[in-house]
């Protein structure tokens, strides 16, 4: 009797003997070529990451080059008293990445830009050449609606405050074409 109590009270493996209602033990089955081909569904990312668990790819070089190309292609804008164009990208600093998580592709980026602008404005029957820059302090994926542009004009003592104010207001009109080009960039990044 003492032995039976000892057996009941001690820790035991759940099932020592097979019972009639237990599932049958698994039997090995040979796979056919069709089984092997069907299980190899195309996965995103690298060959070593077929499960698509986590993979991050740096695409900053491509993104920086593409941003510069798109922003220079904005072209010139005509204003009521002049015209201006983006002639160069002074600064394009940031990073872009493509992440594969659970076999789903996600992209992102964060950049800061400075665009070199020059133009001509007519004011009181005089034509003045103006140089400046459009600075975009920071923008990232999905936040193009909140895009801000700061206009900086080169120091020109010949320009009056009134003309400088008019030029700044005119240059703010570059915001929408820049936003469209950045939207195109985001779409290309997603399709990558």
């Amino acid at each position: 009797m003492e032995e039976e109590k000892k057996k009941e009270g001690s820790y035991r493996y759940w099932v020592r003997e097979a019972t009639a209602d237990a599932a049958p033990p698994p039997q090995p089955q040979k796979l056919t070529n069709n089984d092997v081909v069907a299980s190899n569904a195309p996965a995103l990312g690298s060959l070593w990451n077929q499960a698509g668990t986590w993979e991050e790819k740096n695409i900053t070089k491509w993104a920086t080059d593409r941003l510069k190309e798109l922003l220079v292609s904005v072209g010139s804008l005509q204003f009521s008293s002049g015209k201006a164009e983006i002639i160069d990208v002074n600064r394009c600093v940031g990073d872009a990445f493509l992440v594969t998580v659970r076999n789903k592709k996600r992209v992102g980026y964060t950049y800061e830009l400075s665009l070199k602008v020059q133009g001509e404005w007519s004011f009181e029957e005089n034509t003045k050449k103006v140089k400046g820059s459009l600075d975009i302090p920071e923008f990232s994926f999905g936040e193009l609606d909140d895009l801000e542009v700061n206009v900086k004009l080169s120091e020109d003592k010949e320009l009056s405050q009134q003309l400088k104010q008019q030029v700044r207001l005119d240059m703010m009109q570059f915001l929408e074409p820049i936003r469209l080009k950045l939207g195109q960039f985001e779409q290309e990044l997603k399709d990558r």
Side-chain angles (χ1 to χ4, degrees):
M1 189 155 164
E2 202 170 295
E3 279 185 29
E4 286 179 29
K5 283 185 182 179
K6 200 174 192 181
K7 283 183 181 179
E8 289 176 18
S10 68
Y11 289 99
R12 286 188 55 162
Y13 193 72
W14 280 87
V15 178
R16 293 264 183 214
E17 296 90 26
T19 60
D21 59 341
Q27 296 295 320
Q29 295 178 353
K30 190 169 188 167
L31 294 176
T32 65
N33 286 339
N34 293 337
D35 295 334
V36 173
V37 172
S39 67
N40 287 338
L44 294 173
S46 299
L47 289 174
W48 62 265
N49 191 11
Q50 290 297 311
T53 53
W54 176 272
E55 183 177 347
E56 186 170 344
K57 184 177 179 185
N58 186 346
I59 52 175
T60 302
K61 170 112 177 70
W62 172 85
T64 302
D65 293 343
R66 187 63 181 140
L67 273 173
K68 288 178 181 179
E69 184 181 320
L70 285 171
L71 292 169
V72 170
S73 73
V74 167
S76 64
L77 290 182
Q78 203 65 32
F79 311 114
S80 60
S81 58
K83 66 178 183 177
E85 68 177 328
I86 297 174
I87 57 171
D88 195 17
V89 178
N90 286 342
R91 191 170 70 110
C92 184
V93 178
D95 62 339
F97 50 88
L98 175 102
V99 177
T100 304
V101 181
R102 296 185 187 139
N103 224 9
K104 290 184 181 171
K105 182 171 62 169
R106 292 183 171 90
V107 292
Y109 65 87
T110 303
Y111 272 93
E112 295 178 15
L113 291 172
S114 180
L115 309 172
K116 188 175 181 182
V117 181
Q118 74 178 22
E120 293 181 352
W121 273 264
S122 299
F123 194 69
E124 296 175 0
E125 299 179 13
N126 293 326
T127 301
K128 302 278 186 185
K129 290 193 178 210
V130 179
K131 292 182 180 180
S133 66
L134 301 172
D135 294 337
I136 303 172
E138 184 178 1
F139 63 99
S140 57
F141 187 80
E143 297 180 359
L144 295 181
D145 293 336
D146 301 332
L147 198 65
E148 294 179 14
V149 174
N150 300 324
V151 178
K152 292 182 183 176
L153 300 178
S154 60
E155 293 300 318
D156 191 351
K157 296 184 181 316
E158 293 179 14
L159 297 176
S160 66
Q161 275 310 104
Q162 185 180 4
L163 181 58
K164 284 182 181 180
Q165 188 63 26
Q166 180 65 42
V167 169
R168 281 190 186 99
L169 286 174
D170 287 346
M171 282 196 183
M172 289 299 286
Q173 293 179 29
F174 273 106
L175 180 61
E176 198 53 39
I178 290 172
R179 186 177 284 138
L180 289 173
K181 290 295 183 179
L182 294 177
Q184 180 183 344
F185 168 74
E186 278 191 6
Q187 189 58 49
E188 289 178 16
L189 192 61
K190 280 190 234 177
D191 295 342
R192 226 175 128 70

